[in-house]
Amino acid sequence: SIKIKILIENEKIVFECANTYQKSLENKAGDGGLGNALIQKRLMLLYPKPHSLEIADGAGIYQIRLNLDVHEN
């Protein structure tokens, strides 16, 4: 299952996503591949203003929380 939550407050957008998964034998080590590193690089390019990306992976649930500051200076 996948749960998505988007919250927009004043000058901030919060995106949360959580999904369940089962680890395959091929990905037994739990490495996330290059996907997380590429996402963080893209965020730095697209949103140079303050933002944060939190990633949690455990107990068969992968969760992210992205906070974006959309305030125009």
Side-chain angles (χ1 to χ4, degrees), residues 6-15 66-70:
I6 299 172
L7 177 65
I8 301 171
E9 296 180 327
N10 299 326
E11 298 152 355
K12 188 176 192 180
I13 298 173
V14 179
F15 173 80
L66 174 63
N67 295 299
L68 297 174
D69 179 4
V70 293

Side-chain angles (χ1 to χ4, degrees), residues 43-71:
L43 285 171
M44 292 298 293
L45 292 172
L46 294 171
Y47 301 100
K49 294 181 181 183
H51 68 274
S52 67
L53 177 64
E54 302 166 15
I55 301 172
D57 185 5
I61 300 174
Y62 185 84
Q63 300 176 11
I64 66 147
R65 180 182 173 100
L66 174 63
N67 295 299
L68 297 174
D69 179 4
V70 293
H71 176 69

